[in-house]
């Protein structure tokens, strides 16, 4: 008996929140992060303020934990499709403003 085996390799993509970002965007629509379900978006906070990703019921990943200033990180494991172009960017939980442009398929 022959079996076909398909391996899907997930990747870790790193996004840095720039120093001085404050309540601003973490990235833009032009620099949207492209991901696949199963990938991990590792967010590194290089800013001097606490940040956290606000998601909607685990879409595209679980609600973010606090990322400490100057080097805190959080891993957003993509579990569902999401397109910021259609649905709007994800928000920063603390600033309640759009912050993160991603597309996950």
């Amino acid at each position: 008996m022959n079996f076909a085996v398909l391996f899907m390799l997930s990747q870790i993509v790193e996004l840095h929140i720039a120093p001085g970002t404050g309540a601003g965007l973490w990235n833009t629509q032009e620099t949207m992060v492209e991901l696949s379900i199963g990938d991990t978006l590792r967010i590194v906070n290089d800013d001097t303020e606490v940040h956290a990703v606000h998601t909607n019921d685990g879409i595209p990943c679980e609600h973010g934990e606090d990322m400490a200033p100057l080097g805190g990180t959080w891993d957003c494991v993509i579990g569902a499709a999401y397109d910021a172009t259609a649905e709007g960017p994800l928000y920063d939980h603390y600033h309640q403003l759009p912050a993160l442009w991603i597309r996950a398929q």
Side-chain angles (χ1 to χ4, degrees), residues 3-96:
F3 294 96
V5 178
L6 174 65
F7 291 97
M8 294 196 61
L9 299 176
S10 60
Q11 63 177 336
I12 297 174
V13 177
E14 209 168 85
L15 174 94
H16 287 255
I17 301 172
T21 295
L25 290 170
W26 301 354
N27 67 333
T28 65
Q29 187 171 9
E30 292 76 24
T31 60
M32 186 172 324
V33 180
E34 301 278 347
L35 300 153
S36 297
I37 293 173
D39 287 348
T40 298
L41 175 60
R42 177 165 295 146
I43 303 170
V44 181
N45 184 9
D46 294 331
D47 196 17
T48 56
E49 298 184 22
V50 174
H51 293 283
V53 177
H54 182 81
T55 65
N56 187 14
D57 297 325
I59 299 171
C61 57
E62 295 301 317
H63 192 282
E65 297 178 9
D66 290 356
M67 292 176 281
L70 304 174
T73 65
W74 182 70
D75 286 350
C76 170
V77 179
I78 304 299
Y82 187 84
D83 186 347
T85 301
E87 301 175 58
L90 297 173
Y91 275 53
D92 182 324
H93 181 80
Y94 288 99
H95 295 288
Q96 294 298 305

